[in-house]
Amino acid sequence: MVAAPHHPLCTKTGPIPRSALEEHIQLVLTDRTTLSSGREFGVFSNRTWRLADLGAKLSFLRAGLGWGSMPRGAIEADLASGELVQLQLEDAQADEYTMPLSIIYPAAKPPGMAGQWLMERLKNSDYAG
């Protein structure tokens, strides 16, 4: 979870309680398919702005228009430069903000070189738990 350094949540000292998160607009990426219809992932505020584009969400976050989650790889430079700040949430479990990924393929037809490369890359990335 991140926000721009001038966002009100960044003025809080110590871990931020969920009640404080609820007071501010959470930027949420919308799933335009029906796969997750009726389900919410990582939504803590009733005040949400739904965006269909990750790039737009990042721009809104940088502008301080809300707070939200982003893939770490997409914001590494922003965190390093201070353009975004990671929010420390109260009672956050380490795995609460992760999304499991499974790779399934027929045993008789394993992935080719590119697929094997991708699987190794995902297993050995900073994102693997």
Side-chain angles (χ1 to χ4, degrees), residues 101 103 117-128:
L101 173 68
I103 300 172
W117 173 87
L118 177 61
M119 288 189 307
E120 282 304 310
R121 175 100 183 206
L122 291 171
K123 281 195 284 186
N124 297 321
S125 73
D126 291 337
Y127 313 110

Side-chain angles (χ1 to χ4, degrees), residues 22-91:
E22 294 171 359
E23 297 173 13
H24 300 278
I25 294 169
Q26 181 178 0
L27 302 173
V28 178
L29 193 62
T30 297
D31 181 3
R32 292 184 269 182
T33 70
T34 58
L35 294 174
S36 62
S37 182
R39 297 178 66 197
E40 300 270 293
F41 301 98
V43 177
F44 300 104
S45 178
N46 291 327
R47 300 180 63 202
T48 60
W49 286 0
R50 309 235 173 218
L51 298 114
D53 180 79
L54 196 60
K57 182 177 178 180
L58 180 56
S59 295
F60 278 47
L61 286 167
R62 287 176 179 155
L65 298 175
W67 65 274
S69 62
M70 285 291 289
R72 188 162 250 343
I75 58 168
E76 286 289 343
D78 294 287
L79 292 171
S81 71
E83 193 162 4
L84 290 176
V85 176
Q86 186 169 348
L87 301 174
Q88 299 302 319
L89 307 184
E90 187 176 273
D91 300 327

